Amino acid sequence: MSDTLPSSSQFPHAPGVMSAKVRAFDWAGHPLGPTEGWPLALRIVLDFMLASHFPKCLVWGPERTVFYNDAYRPLLGDKPDPLGRPFQEMWHETWEEVRPMAERAEAGEATFLQDKFFVVQRNGYPEHTWFTFCFSPLRDERGAVGGWAVTVIETTQTHVAQQQLRAAASSLEHQVALRTADRDRLWALSDALMIVSRFDGVIVAANPGWTQALGWGELETVGRHVRAFVFEGDTTALDAEGNLLRTVAQRRQVHMRFLRRDGQVRTIAWSVVAADGFLHAVGRDETEELQRSEQLSEAQERLRQGQKMEAIGQLTGGIAHDFNNMLQGIVLPLQLMQRRLQQGRGQEVQGYIEAALASARRAASLTQRLLAFSRRQPLDVRPTDVAAMLQGLETMLRSSCSENVELVIDAQPEGLWPVRTDMHQLENAVLNLAINARDAMPGGGTLRLAVCNETVGGGHDMARGRSGMAAGDYVRLSVADTGTGMSADVIERAFDPFFTTKPIGLGTGLGLSMIYGYMRQTGGAVEIESREGGGTTVHLYLPRSEQQAQEEPPPALSPQPQARRRDSVLVVEDDNTVRALVVELLHDMGFQVMQAASGAEAMALLSGALQYDLLITDVGLPGPNGRQVADFARERLPAIRVLLMTGYAERASMGDGLLGAAMELIVKPFDAPAFVHKVQQIMQHEG
């Protein structure tokens, strides 16, 4: 008889995935040992089970080692593969209920159970299930029980279907009417929308308030899924809320858009309760309230815009005196230059040119500081040597001080960290503070500028009137005077725009507020230490840079036109004067130049047969803006380089997305040498 049984080398020979897994399993290290030593009864039953198309599980030995066939595997869901493991680990959540049947089988007694209820964990959540199964003992060659087999059928779907049929037979509508008999009047007369649905979302009842609000009659509503009435954009939220109510939550507050019968979209605020096997929902149409809220928001926005316009009026009035003086310093030199040229005295023009340029630079500095205050100015932040900056500024500082003010600069470059900042804005800030200090010492005194490294911890106790500062490494630049000092009230208001203690006409009240804006914009901070009669010290905290400052020689403009180049440039600028001067500079550099006055005109030129190596465009253009023109140019000519010009860029535009690959930025007003130097840098770059 044994000759008819499969040999150990063939065992098991039944086809299927599980048969292959049994053959591949490392039984040598298992308590059962290699298959060659298994009992004959185990091998026969195992081979029979693996070949069966009926869900079966075989358990053998004192460790209750599990074997199962391909038909049994779907019952396990996402459970870990139990092959070779104890049965009680496979169904650990039901073991206490199954243990008596397993022990009876091990005692030689078979068990049959029909539609047995279990809560199982096989798909990541507790699941209500029903099973019909038979436990049968398995005996070895000596007649002793060596294990047991389980033949199983899952009857969950059948059981649920029977429950649904019984529920349908008892009339859902009748049950709802009985359970809500004491609420019939509220149901019929309330203006609120009321519906009752099954947990699967099918509506079983709707009150007249539903029909009045949405126009759908009761016959059109009952029997349909709630999704049929929900605005398409909110169906995902509907499904999510339904899952919560079915599994976790007993009550939910939901805002969702519904469709009226005439196509209008209405926003309904729902209170939904899961009770008595149904979902009970009471809703209120809040569409008009939301519209009124939006109208109120729009009115508030118009008010804020009006306040902005009022602030602009204050701004223009506050700086008119300073700006008019600067304009005067430009207009008079130009008129004198014109007169001297008419008189044939051209040799005297150079002095007037220098005077006009100096006033123009002061005006440009004022506008840049204003933009820094409003956080709209795109700063040129780079590694900077503070000691070298102060050394270059010393002459101007001494000329700004009175004869009775002693200037002391304590800035040793050895060991001083480089900082990340805009050097020109820093120069303006130091000059502004020095002038304030001079004015605070009408009788003379000492103005001291000191620089040192400082590591700021999280608990840094900053002085009054300070801006916020994160922990980290900084270079502290202190500007101290021995003047009149400030009261506590003045310190608290020192950074407010237009606040000044100087007489009318001697200050705009924007100096410290501009410094505050610039420091915050570059990641630094500013603080004030002062007391009445005891002088004032203003500390500027400049964030440390990991890169060393690079010395750049000031660009110079060659007096001679350069040789003609093969490169071609497209200049886009809506200001005729600026465009003409930029074109003239490029001609002097030897470029072939085309020009356009708008974004649309530029795109038309870019769409033609001409090829351009460089695009120079203003950011703010009529029609498509400069960045859009640049993107269009990059699509047509991937190798083209781009230089964006701007007086200022809106804060929303100055994020990381303003400059793309092979794009540079230059801020107006710019010097001719700076413009030429920037263009040369771009055209020498091969990336």
Side-chain angles (χ1 to χ4, degrees), residues 7 34 47-48 96 116 124 145 160 170 173 184 286 299 310 313 345 358 368 383 513 543-544 602 607 610 678:
S7 67
D47 197 59
F48 169 76
E96 292 305 320
K116 172 66 176 175
V145 176
V160 172
S170 65
E173 292 84 354
D184 282 349
E286 58 179 16
E310 180 181 355
R345 298 162 60 183
Q368 288 174 354
S513 62
R544 179 182 181 180
S607 300
L610 292 178
K678 176 69 82 171

Side-chain angles (χ1 to χ4, degrees), residues 408-672:
V408 178
I409 298 180
D410 182 9
Q412 300 300 322
E414 291 80 10
L416 191 66
W417 296 329
V419 300
R420 298 190 311 273
T421 192
D422 183 314
M423 186 176 71
H424 299 295
Q425 292 291 340
L426 180 58
E427 289 175 344
N428 289 334
V430 173
L431 283 172
N432 197 311
L433 293 174
I435 292 171
N436 286 349
R438 177 202 65 191
D439 294 343
M441 299 182 289
T446 301
L447 171 61
R448 179 180 296 275
L449 280 72
V451 184
C452 66
N453 298 330
E454 182 165 335
T455 298
V456 175
H460 177 68
D461 184 17
M462 301 189 73
R464 300 176 68 185
R466 76 278 185 263
S467 64
M469 178 169 56
D473 290 338
Y474 296 84
V475 170
R476 188 180 71 183
L477 194 162
S478 303
V479 181
D481 64 62
T482 56
T484 55
M486 303 182 188
S487 66
D489 292 340
V490 171
I491 294 175
E492 290 297 331
R493 299 184 61 191
F495 294 120
D496 293 347
F498 312 113
F499 174 77
T500 180
T501 58
K502 296 179 181 180
I504 296 176
L506 295 182
T508 61
L510 287 170
L512 284 177
S513 62
M514 291 175 186
I515 294 173
Y516 176 89
Y518 148 65
M519 294 302 295
R520 291 295 300 272
Q521 194 176 357
T522 54
V526 56
E527 64 180 358
I528 298 176
E529 293 180 359
S530 184
R531 59 185 179 86
E532 288 186 274
T536 299
T537 301
V538 178
H539 301 291
L540 303 182
Y541 288 86
L542 306 163
R544 179 182 181 180
S545 172
E546 297 300 328
Q547 299 176 344
Q548 293 298 319
Q550 301 294 326
E551 293 187 7
E552 295 186 7
L557 192 62
S558 173
Q560 300 299 327
Q562 298 180 18
R564 186 171 181 81
R565 303 168 57 113
R566 297 179 58 187
D567 310 83
S568 59
V569 183
L570 175 59
V571 177
V572 191
E573 170 62 66
D574 57 324
D575 186 287
N576 295 334
T577 301
V578 174
R579 186 175 68 254
L581 294 173
V582 168
V583 168
E584 185 172 348
L585 279 173
L586 291 168
H587 277 308
D588 286 347
M589 295 178 69
F591 287 102
Q592 303 175 52
V593 185
M594 295 290 289
Q595 53 185 295
S598 67
E601 185 179 344
M603 287 182 175
L605 290 173
L606 289 165
S607 300
L610 292 178
Q611 299 291 308
Y612 299 97
D613 301 287
L614 174 63
L615 169 67
I616 300 177
T617 177
D618 188 30
V619 173
L621 293 173
N625 62 38
R627 177 56 201 265
Q628 291 169 323
V629 172
D631 290 338
F632 181 80
R634 294 303 300 277
E635 291 177 5
R636 302 281 300 180
L637 304 167
I640 194 171
R641 297 176 178 86
V642 178
L643 176 59
L644 299 177
M645 303 182 296
T646 179
Y648 71 87
E650 290 293 342
R651 181 177 179 183
S653 301
M654 288 311 302
D656 295 336
L658 178 65
L659 295 179
M663 292 186 187
E664 297 285 345
L665 181 72
I666 189 168
V667 179
K668 299 176 183 176
F670 46 77
D671 291 331

Side-chain angles (χ1 to χ4, degrees), residues 183 192 245 255 268 290 313 317 365 379 387 432 451 481 488 512 519 529 543:
R183 291 170 283 175
L245 288 163
H255 290 74
I268 312 296
L290 291 175
S365 174
L379 299 177
N432 197 311
V451 184
D481 64 62
L512 284 177
M519 294 302 295
E529 293 180 359

Side-chain angles (χ1 to χ4, degrees), residues 302-316:
R302 288 194 295 270
L303 176 60
R304 283 192 291 268
Q305 188 63 28
Q307 291 172 337
K308 288 181 181 179
M309 297 305 295
E310 180 181 355
I312 290 174
Q314 295 175 352
L315 176 65
T316 55

